Amino acid sequence: MNLLIVDDEVVTTEVLKEQIDRNKIPIRQNFVAYNAAMARECLKHQKIDIVLCDIEMPKESGLELLEWIRKRNKDLNPWSLIIISCCNHFVYAVCRYV
């Protein structure tokens, strides 16, 4: 499996890459994007199985990116799109299929 981590905070992406237990999750390659545009480019050129995506990023939110991914990949398993955030706005804390 290939993993894409999308977050505008470099430290967060590095910590997430380090914390993934490869014994429990068979990640072959980690990819990192620091904004939605970088993520789209990666998704166009790489086979990505799991996306960890921040909600609040400059220019385009993670929710907008995940909606773009979902429209482009109709057969994508919704559980492979995972939202991460330090945001305390509980309006985001709703389980929804983007």
Side-chain angles (χ1 to χ4, degrees):
M1 281 194 286
N2 291 336
L3 170 69
L4 173 60
I5 301 170
V6 186
D7 196 308
D8 57 313
E9 297 289 333
V10 175
V11 173
T12 301
T13 61
E14 293 304 313
V15 168
L16 287 169
K17 281 189 339 187
E18 290 174 11
Q19 294 300 313
I20 292 171
D21 185 344
R22 289 176 181 257
N23 293 321
K24 294 181 180 178
I25 303 172
I27 301 297
R28 190 168 19 105
Q29 272 190 288
N30 287 318
F31 296 92
V32 173
Y34 301 110
N35 57 50
M38 285 179 70
R40 276 195 297 281
E41 282 303 307
C42 181
L43 288 159
K44 288 177 185 175
H45 301 289
Q46 303 293 333
K47 182 187 180 326
I48 301 296
D49 302 294
I50 300 172
V51 178
L52 291 177
C53 185
D54 187 17
I55 292 176
E56 292 186 339
M57 296 184 293
K59 297 185 182 178
E60 185 177 348
S61 77
L63 295 177
E64 291 168 313
L65 173 63
L66 295 180
E67 187 174 349
W68 178 87
I69 294 169
R70 188 67 199 117
K71 285 179 181 175
R72 189 170 181 266
N73 301 293
K74 299 285 186 196
D75 297 329
L76 188 69
N77 180 342
W79 296 108
S80 63
L81 304 174
I82 302 168
I83 296 288
I84 56 176
S85 185
C86 293
C87 181
N88 62 0
H89 297 358
F90 288 99
V91 69
Y92 292 135
V94 177
C95 182
R96 96 175 196 173
Y97 184 73
V98 194

